[in-house]
């Protein structure tokens, strides 16, 4: 049994764990990047530390018996510009921690991926009709049991109640279950960008996909 609710600060470690365990197209991040904490500080901390009022979790147990075990999360953000501002304010600290070797896992695989990521060129895309965004993942052994649908419903209802005009998300051709599901929910493909970024880990080129939904 599980129930959907908003994030609480006591969920931080569990959300970080699940994020690291699912970042590689639903599998652990270490398939392509060994410095898990560096990734989480760069990517996930915004949602837990600043946008927790738009971070939905599926917690194991009933609402009355919530043990803080997280089965899935939807990291949301109603204003993507705020995410960019947060990143600019925090990136120096993260770079400093990296060059002073405070993160484990700074292997050649990690550094190669970081280098290629920093050189990734995405064509310009006007996302102003879709100011909100989301990232969603559920525990591998619980997929297909309705958690993703419940998280998505909670977040889209929240955005509609806040009069947010649209939401976008980034995914890829490797997310075989998620892509048709997003399309069934009404998300429309806005951009497709072929890339070799993950070739070392998946063995072939993939397409990075951006989807948008007007609310
Ligand atoms: C995509 C994801 C978040 C959906 O969450 P979920 O809890 O599995 O979602 P639900 O059980 O509500 O199912 C959502 C849809 O996916 C389908 N689905 C889920 N698991 C499936 C599976 N193993 N095989 C086929 N279809 C599956 C469901 O049938 C459902 O489709 P429907 O609405 O047409 O019935 C989750 O499967 C996941 O984390 N996948 C791996 C990581 C990923 O791709 N995340 C998205 C990153 S962009």
């Amino acid at each position: 049994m599980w129930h959907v609710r908003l994030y609480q600060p006591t969920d931080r470690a569990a959300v970080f764990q699940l994020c690291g365990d699912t970042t590689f197209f639903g599998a652990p991040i270490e398939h392509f990047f060994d410095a898990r904490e560096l990734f989480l500080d760069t990517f996930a901390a915004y949602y837990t530390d600043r946008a927790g009022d738009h971070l939905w979790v599926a917690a194991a147990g009933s609402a009355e018996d919530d043990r803080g075990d997280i089965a899935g999360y939807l990291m949301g953000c109603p204003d993507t510009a705020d995410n960019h501002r947060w990143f600019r304010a925090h990136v120096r600290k993260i770079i400093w921690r990296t060059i002073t070797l405070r993160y484990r896992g700074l292997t050649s695989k990690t550094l190669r991926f970081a280098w290629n990521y920093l050189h990734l060129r995405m064509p310009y895309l006007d996302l102003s009709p879709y100011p909100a965004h989301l990232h969603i993942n559920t525990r591998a052994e619980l997929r297909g049991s309705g958690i993703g649908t419940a998280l998505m419903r909670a977040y889209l209802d929240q955005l509609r109640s806040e009069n947010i005009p649209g939401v976008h998300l980034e995914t890829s051709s490797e997310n075989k279950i998620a892509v048709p599901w997003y399309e069934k929910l009404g998300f429309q493909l806005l951009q497709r960008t072929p890339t070799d970024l993950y070739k070392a880990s998946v063995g072939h080129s993939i397409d990075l996909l951006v989807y948008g939904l007007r609310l």
Side-chain angles (χ1 to χ4, degrees), residues 14-196:
V15 169
F16 269 36
Q17 180 75 39
L18 184 57
C19 182
D21 287 348
T22 53
T23 285
F24 180 71
F25 315 117
I29 184 170
E30 286 77 11
H31 285 281
F32 74 99
F33 195 83
D34 292 318
R36 179 182 277 238
E37 284 165 27
L38 166 58
F39 171 80
L40 293 169
D41 279 356
T42 308
F43 168 77
Y46 169 76
Y47 303 96
T48 54
D49 301 357
R50 172 137 173 154
D53 55 350
H54 287 79
L55 169 45
W56 291 89
V57 298
S62 64
E64 296 73 36
D65 179 30
D66 189 325
R67 280 154 282 144
D69 246 3
I70 300 300
Y73 64 74
L74 186 156
M75 293 171 168
C77 161
D79 174 17
T80 297
D82 183 66
N83 187 190
H84 295 160
R85 279 193 295 275
W86 180 92
F87 182 75
R88 285 194 295 273
H90 284 76
V91 68
R92 278 190 200 177
K93 189 172 73 184
I94 294 168
I95 291 172
W96 178 248
R97 284 185 182 168
T98 305
I99 61 180
T100 55
L101 303 179
R102 300 267 294 280
Y103 291 112
R104 278 169 295 156
L106 294 172
T107 59
S108 58
K109 177 171 77 180
T110 296
L111 298 176
R112 198 165 41 244
F113 179 86
W115 175 264
N116 291 337
Y117 182 80
L118 291 172
H119 289 83
L120 182 67
R121 290 285 165 262
M122 296 285 282
Y124 174 74
L125 176 62
D126 178 14
L127 286 169
S128 54
Y130 311 94
H133 72 254
L134 70 93
H135 306 279
I136 185 168
N137 277 306
T138 59
R139 282 230 303 257
E141 69 277 18
L142 296 174
R143 288 178 194 148
S145 52
I147 294 172
T149 300
L151 289 166
M152 190 68 93
R153 187 175 304 135
Y155 181 54
L156 296 182
D157 284 352
Q158 179 185 31
L159 293 180
R160 288 190 180 102
S161 75
E162 294 167 342
N163 294 316
I164 305 292
V167 54
H168 70 273
L169 61 87
E170 295 174 12
T171 185
S172 84
S173 51
E174 279 302 295
N175 296 79
K176 308 277 187 210
I177 294 168
V179 166
W181 178 51
Y182 294 143
E183 292 180 353
K184 190 183 151 198
L185 289 170
F187 283 85
Q188 299 204 321
L189 183 63
L190 304 177
Q191 188 178 71
R192 176 188 295 274
T193 310
T195 178
D196 286 343

